Amino acid sequence: MSLKRNVLDLRKRKELALQGGGEEAIKKQVAMGKLTARERIEAILDKNSFHEYDMFVEHQAKDFDMDKKVFHGDGVIIGTGTIYGEPVCIYAQDFTVAGGSLGLMHARKISKIMDHALKMHVPLIGINDSGGARIQEGVDSLAGYGDIFFRNTQASGVIPQLSVILGPCAGGAVYSPALTDFVFVVDNISKMFITGPEVVKTVLGEEISMEELGGARVHSEISGNAHFFALTEQECFEQIKKLLMLIPWSNRVKARPFPPKEPKSMYNIEKIVPADPTQPYDVRDVIKAVADDSDFLEVQQAFARNIVVGFGRIQGETIGFVANQPCVMAGVLDCDSSDKAGRFIRFCDAFNIPIVTFEDMPGYLPGAEQEYAGVIRHGAKVLYAYSEATVPKITVILRKAYGGGYIAMNSRHLKADFMFAWPTAEIAVMGPEGAANIIFRKEIISSPNPEETRKAKVAEYRAKFANPYVAASKGYIDSVIEPAETRKILIHSIEVSSNKSVITPAKKHGIPPF
Ligand code: HXC
């Protein structure tokens, strides 16, 4: 064959492969409000930057008449491209081909691009849209999942791994996203579950829709499996790019620097926090009052809202913010908020992102429900994550820092580099009401007017202990600062921590309270 004919043959083969599952299947995909796998890749990457590999890979299965079936690309598209001109690795499952189900060759393709991402130290973006393990391929499909999970784990903490759920992600498929750093979901499109509604009905006799079982809202608000929620695929792609703009692209590099920008004047730090410790406020306003351009990308916004985590910049450098949220359950730590904060802190530490903590909380949430749910083991995750983190760690106590909360929220004792407190801070074993009721109990009951005595004792306790100066007198707090000074002091603290180095005890790895 002449070169020209060879090239024409190649083009024909490519054209065929590009048809995916064919016109009908693509129509069905579009009718569900979904883009096709290639459209998704193109929408995320820089224009015309995508290079596809393994386009001609075919399944090798023979059982169940599989040898008579052609699955173009075996239902997944893999390749490399750029975002902001920098390389990334990407794969997208093609639901139009055998429901994006994962067989041996499909899994090998994903493993190949994962190996490439890890070797090249570039982010990995995985778009999931699949019926799960390809039933006809039996144990080969299960093996394929195992290979992917192993690679997810190897890559963890080395390169950022982003999972985008744009269709079903059923059965074993859910565990790859669960092992990655950030999971993106889209309303009415994403469906994630271990067992589908039919299995639930068979086993438990319960009728439940796919949406109620594992829709985007369920995972954003209740289970906490998702980190970013969007109303449309386009909005989701913008979130991906925004996140990639903020985080480092491997554990060997820093996040891209940005020109510093002052916070917006509408966030007046002196007017956000009410002096009355019982009054709520939105701590995100405090973050926006110190962050460059008041820009803050919140992670897991709708889950465990009693704690706020996310990324912003201070003087051009990416910062991980962790803050108690006084307007939700007074900002207490409970099982879910501990999981949320612990995981976020570990991401920041793995990718060398300094952590700024804003503290205002009455402690861990009491009660049988939390105890039964394991608040001891979950709460320990925050202690572990902060203690383990060796990135610059700065805490600002805004108001309440009581009990276990004081210790857990990046205290000096967990090796915070800088501890600051506003003059409104109350640092004590517990709140003045509870404390006075316990230590002055006998005095209160035996007095002629117990209520009056109780009030007087609460006031006495508050005056003596519920302030930042006792902790400051012991050096636990480095400086009591005026709210208006906060940004300036954070800029300085981050600047002087840029060469931080810590020697940790030699070990294979620790055993965090999973
Ligand atoms: C093979 C599959 C498939 C699968 C879908 N298809 N899932 N083929 N293996 N797992 C095929 C269908 O046969 C169909 O082929 C095409 O994909 C589109 O599927 P539909 O059912 O027509 O689409 P839809 O109505 O949109 O429903 C999508 C779905 C449903 C909800 C995902 O297909 C479904 O429930 N699939 C099974 C999901 C599941 O239980 N997976 C778990 C597998 S076990 P045709 O030729 O008709 O177009 C597992 C364990 C792994 O994953 C554990 C590892 C640790």
Side-chain angles (χ1 to χ4, degrees):
M1 246 198 298
S2 67
L3 175 64
K4 197 169 169 198
R5 284 179 77 176
N6 271 314
V7 170
L8 286 176
D9 176 55
L10 168 65
R11 286 187 191 159
K12 229 157 107 189
R13 284 169 188 265
K14 276 192 175 170
E15 217 173 280
L16 205 63
L18 287 172
Q19 286 172 4
E23 218 173 294
E24 276 310 303
I26 292 174
K27 260 194 208 154
K28 199 175 154 195
Q29 176 88 349
V30 173
M32 284 190 279
K34 304 198 295 186
L35 295 175
T36 64
R38 282 194 182 79
E39 284 170 345
R40 286 165 171 169
I41 290 175
E42 273 156 25
I44 294 174
L45 299 184
D46 292 340
K47 207 162 182 236
N48 297 328
S49 73
F50 182 53
H51 287 252
E52 184 173 342
Y53 313 117
D54 284 355
M55 188 187 242
F56 302 126
V57 159
E58 267 292 332
H59 72 76
Q60 314 286 322
K62 294 194 168 50
D63 297 330
F64 304 104
D65 284 339
M66 283 286 280
D67 45 354
K68 299 191 187 86
K69 290 181 186 159
V70 176
F71 292 167
H72 290 302
D74 207 26
V76 64
I77 294 155
I78 65 163
T80 48
T82 61
I83 297 179
Y84 310 123
E86 305 273 346
V88 298
C89 287
I90 193 162
Y91 72 84
Q93 293 179 309
D94 184 352
F95 192 82
T96 69
V97 177
S101 57
L102 183 139
L104 179 71
M105 298 310 289
H106 179 122
R108 275 201 195 152
K109 285 180 71 173
I110 295 178
S111 293
K112 182 188 268 189
I113 205 66
M114 291 177 83
D115 286 343
H116 194 79
L118 186 54
K119 202 162 47 182
M120 305 304 172
H121 270 241
V122 300
L124 174 77
I125 302 170
I127 303 174
N128 295 254
D129 188 359
S130 164
R134 187 172 298 150
I135 296 159
Q136 301 91 321
E137 294 199 35
V139 71
D140 274 340
S141 307
L142 303 183
Y145 274 119
D147 291 342
I148 293 169
F149 303 159
F150 178 80
R151 284 168 173 78
N152 283 134
T153 310
Q154 293 295 300
S156 180
V158 183
I159 51 167
Q161 299 180 81
L162 279 53
S163 295
V164 195
I165 315 298
L166 296 180
C169 183
V174 296
Y175 282 111
S176 176
L179 289 165
T180 62
D181 303 310
F182 298 102
V183 175
F184 294 76
V185 290
V186 175
D187 205 16
N188 296 318
I189 288 181
S190 313
K191 315 269 184 276
M192 251 181 130
F193 41 75
I194 301 264
T195 48
E198 271 156 43
V199 178
V200 173
K201 195 175 166 193
T202 313
V203 178
L204 302 173
E206 284 171 16
E207 293 264 6
I208 187 160
S209 71
M210 231 191 276
E211 197 60 39
E212 284 172 307
L213 189 63
R217 287 179 195 272
V218 167
H219 291 304
S220 306
E221 294 166 20
I222 304 169
S223 73
N225 290 324
H227 300 84
F228 293 97
F229 170 89
L231 291 172
T232 61
E233 292 199 22
Q234 199 48 50
E235 187 190 348
C236 169
F237 303 151
E238 276 151 29
Q239 288 172 342
I240 292 170
K241 288 193 223 178
K242 173 132 201 213
L243 178 69
L244 285 174
M245 180 79 93
L246 276 159
I247 59 173
W249 283 26
S250 89
N251 65 349
R252 291 200 299 222
V253 296
K254 286 218 130 211
R256 60 195 65 230
F258 254 69
K261 211 165 174 188
E262 283 302 301
K264 294 192 168 107
S265 57
M266 63 188 280
Y267 298 102
N268 181 346
I269 201 156
E270 293 185 292
K271 299 220 164 114
I272 299 167
V273 180
D276 178 350
T278 62
Q279 288 302 303
Y281 62 94
D282 190 337
V283 79
R284 290 175 295 194
D285 292 343
V286 176
I287 296 172
K288 289 175 186 168
V290 300
D292 286 10
D293 203 23
S294 303
D295 196 15
F296 176 55
L297 180 66
E298 195 172 346
V299 177
Q300 289 185 302
Q301 186 175 21
F303 173 68
R305 292 186 303 113
N306 38 329
I307 203 147
V308 170
V309 300
F311 302 105
R313 289 195 189 86
I314 290 185
Q315 206 68 349
E317 177 164 358
T318 293
I319 303 295
F321 288 100
V322 181
N324 306 121
Q325 177 54 292
C327 66
V328 180
M329 297 160 68
V332 286
L333 274 176
D334 59 2
C335 296
D336 285 347
S337 62
S338 299
D339 281 3
K340 175 174 165 180
R343 186 184 157 109
F344 180 77
I345 293 161
R346 296 195 90 203
F347 178 86
C348 291
D349 189 45
F351 288 91
N352 306 306
I353 300 170
I355 301 166
V356 169
T357 301
F358 287 117
E359 179 170 4
D360 184 354
M361 57 96 90
Y364 282 94
L365 182 61
E369 201 183 302
Q370 282 292 305
E371 298 289 356
Y372 296 170
V375 70
I376 297 174
R377 138 179 86 85
H378 290 288
K381 292 175 187 173
V382 182
L383 301 171
Y384 194 101
Y386 271 127
S387 300
E388 177 192 46
T390 55
V391 286
K393 300 185 289 189
I394 303 151
T395 299
V396 183
I397 301 175
L398 308 177
R399 267 188 341 189
K400 296 190 272 288
Y402 296 158
Y406 158 71
I407 305 165
M409 294 303 290
N410 192 37
S411 62
R412 162 63 21 86
H413 323 288
L414 306 187
K415 294 286 177 280
D417 298 298
F418 293 103
M419 289 290 299
F420 302 111
W422 285 6
T424 42
E426 298 184 357
I427 304 166
V429 172
M430 60 170 72
E433 303 271 339
N437 282 343
I438 294 169
I439 57 177
F440 302 118
R441 192 166 64 93
K442 282 191 191 134
E443 241 177 288
I444 291 170
I445 348 180
S446 57
S447 78
N449 189 337
E451 194 41 39
E452 286 278 292
T453 314
R454 202 184 65 79
K455 276 191 189 148
K457 290 294 173 192
V458 168
E460 188 185 323
Y461 185 91
R462 185 182 295 282
K464 195 152 188 186
F465 295 112
N467 60 62
Y469 300 106
V470 180
S473 74
K474 297 170 196 289
Y476 297 148
I477 298 294
D478 299 313
S479 196
V480 181
I481 62 170
E482 292 182 27
E485 299 175 292
T486 308
R487 178 172 153 92
K488 202 175 88 196
I489 285 169
L490 287 175
I491 291 173
H492 178 75
S493 309
I494 294 158
E495 232 167 55
V496 298
S497 308
S498 61
N499 282 334
K500 181 178 176 185
S501 94
V502 175
I503 295 170
T504 51
K507 58 175 141 179
K508 193 170 166 196
H509 58 69
I511 302 143
F514 274 105

